[in-house]
Amino acid sequence: ESTYLMKHSFTMMPTDSWVKPTEQVKSLVIVPEHIWDKVQQIRIGRNPENTNDPNVEKIKVTKSPLLFVGMINCGYCGAPLTTTYNRKKYTLADGTEQKWVSAKYRCSGKALTKTKCTGQTVYAPNKIETTVMSELQYYLNELRTVDLSKEIDKYYKENLLRENNELELKQKEIEKYYTELSALKNEITKSIMGESAFKPEILNDLIEKKEEQISLLSEKIRQIQSNIKDNSIELHTIEELKNNLPKWKTVFDEASIERKKMMLKSLIDNIVVFRDGIELNIKLNIKSFLSSANGSVIESLGRAHRWQR
């Protein structure tokens, strides 16, 4: 049975246009409201068709003209590759002066002597960007062979549904603890007045133990809520990827440099460059989600591409 998420495509409306029931139906709540709202903003920001909307929260990108600055590192010292410019001037036959500016990737660690880097200082963008885009397109093509709708449904049932059920149980448990703590504190007053069978010292010990139980359980609840948030974002990321796969390349080719970076940032975890090759790493949440769906796709994601000499 398909989930509601699979059957519908969500569009974020202005909050003042939302229609809400007068009372929350708790039995129908799957994801806490504040997490749901945040997820919707994130997923819309990752949709390539919405990246020009000023009202949509966007993935932060750099102002560099190079595609991968902000997600690319040196394979020798680990320092980020930043932007440097090669500038030249030349004079035409008619005496007109022309200027030529070319952006290149630069190892910030070696250039600024922050590290003892044995790699190159400067890397040509054409070779890096052509190779990465070729590998990324291969990955997207392979994803077309995966039944993402089936995997989304499976992931929802095995993770979000289970975690929300666990959260509900823990919340009921902590409510019980708070009720017991309140009763113990009330008993303290009775004990002081000589109306309780318990001595204040015993009650204080019981109160401390109950507060410790509440503290430990509160931490478990926070962890479950964090997992729900992460898994909600992950689920919607995969859903957006599924919806955008058929048109991804077309939209990317026609996009501005800022829009292209946003699309790449939603897929790429990091890029590592060596003298003789490059390694492309897709975001771990996507890899873990698909690990049971198509092993050949996952195996290809971490492979290093060596330059052709």
Side-chain angles (χ1 to χ4, degrees):
E1 182 181 354
S2 298
T3 66
Y4 182 84
L5 294 174
M6 292 166 53
K7 294 179 180 178
H8 297 268
S9 176
F10 296 96
T11 300
M12 177 65 72
M13 299 292 291
T15 54
D16 57 3
S17 300
W18 291 1
V19 178
K20 299 181 179 180
T22 55
E23 295 183 1
Q24 185 184 66
V25 183
K26 293 186 177 181
S27 61
L28 299 179
V29 175
I30 297 175
V31 179
E33 185 177 357
H34 69 285
I35 294 177
W36 172 260
D37 293 344
K38 183 65 175 178
V39 166
Q40 295 308 303
Q41 289 288 356
I42 292 173
R43 69 186 288 269
I44 291 174
R46 286 175 170 169
N47 188 332
E49 293 186 342
N50 294 330
T51 51
N52 285 333
D53 187 345
N55 297 316
V56 172
E57 181 177 338
K58 299 175 177 62
I59 298 174
K60 294 181 180 180
V61 296
T62 67
K63 296 181 179 180
S64 170
L66 300 174
L67 280 178
F68 302 122
V69 169
M71 55 183 122
I72 187 167
N73 295 81
C74 174
Y76 299 93
C77 67
L81 296 193
T82 55
T83 310
T84 188
Y85 293 91
N86 185 11
R87 293 178 171 84
K88 293 183 179 180
K89 293 181 181 180
Y90 58 94
T91 304
L92 300 178
D94 62 1
T96 303
E97 186 179 80
Q98 296 288 331
K99 295 181 180 179
W100 177 80
V101 180
S102 175
K104 296 181 182 294
Y105 291 97
R106 180 186 69 169
C107 173
S108 59
K110 186 165 187 175
L112 302 176
T113 63
K114 291 182 178 180
T115 60
K116 294 181 180 180
C117 181
T118 58
Q120 295 178 197
T121 303
V122 177
Y123 293 86
N126 290 342
K127 184 178 286 188
I128 290 176
E129 294 180 359
T130 299
T131 301
V132 171
M133 291 309 302
S134 175
E135 288 293 288
L136 189 61
Q137 190 57 52
Y138 168 82
Y139 161 69
L140 293 174
N141 289 339
E142 286 292 301
L143 280 183
R144 294 174 185 271
T145 66
V146 178
D147 187 348
L148 290 178
S149 294
K150 178 181 178 181
E151 294 304 315
I152 288 172
D153 189 36
K154 178 182 176 182
Y155 186 90
Y156 165 77
K157 291 177 179 177
E158 293 182 354
N159 293 276
L160 271 176
L161 191 59
R162 173 181 56 78
E163 287 170 343
N164 276 282
N165 289 336
E166 184 179 359
L167 178 62
E168 184 178 354
L169 291 174
K170 296 299 183 186
Q171 287 174 331
K172 288 181 179 179
E173 187 177 355
I174 202 168
E175 287 176 7
K176 177 174 174 290
Y177 283 175
Y178 274 116
T179 299
E180 293 172 350
L181 179 63
S182 178
L184 288 171
K185 289 183 176 180
N186 289 334
E187 197 68 24
I188 280 282
T189 303
K190 294 180 181 179
S191 179
I192 293 173
M193 298 177 64
E195 299 175 356
S196 173
F198 299 96
K199 294 181 179 180
E201 295 80 7
I202 295 176
L203 290 171
N204 282 331
D205 186 51
L206 292 173
I207 287 173
E208 287 181 4
K209 289 181 179 179
K210 188 60 62 178
E211 287 177 339
E212 183 179 353
Q213 287 179 317
I214 290 174
S215 177
L216 292 173
L217 189 54
S218 296
E219 181 58 35
K220 289 182 181 179
I221 289 174
R222 283 192 291 271
Q223 184 59 55
I224 295 171
Q225 290 173 329
S226 176
N227 291 341
I228 289 174
K229 177 181 177 181
D230 292 342
N231 286 323
S232 297
I233 293 173
E234 183 170 341
L235 188 64
H236 285 290
T237 299
I238 302 300
E239 188 184 34
E240 281 301 324
L241 184 58
K242 174 181 73 71
N243 293 337
N244 292 320
L245 267 178
K247 56 193 175 185
W248 199 93
K249 189 175 186 305
T250 300
V251 174
F252 183 86
D253 290 341
E254 297 174 354
S256 65
I257 183 68
E258 290 80 12
R259 198 175 182 188
K260 286 179 178 179
K261 290 179 184 179
M262 290 175 64
M263 294 172 69
L264 292 169
K265 192 81 172 175
S266 69
L267 292 175
I268 297 174
D269 183 31
N270 73 312
I271 301 165
V272 183
V273 178
F274 302 88
R275 289 181 183 274
D276 62 343
I278 188 169
E279 183 177 321
L280 168 65
N281 295 300
I282 299 300
K283 284 188 178 294
L284 292 177
N285 58 344
I286 299 176
K287 289 171 66 175
S288 63
F289 181 91
L290 296 173
S291 60
S292 63
N294 191 326
S296 63
V297 176
I298 301 305
E299 289 173 4
S300 72
L301 298 183
R303 66 182 186 179
H305 183 95
R306 297 300 167 186
W307 308 127
Q308 298 297 320
R309 295 292 184 183

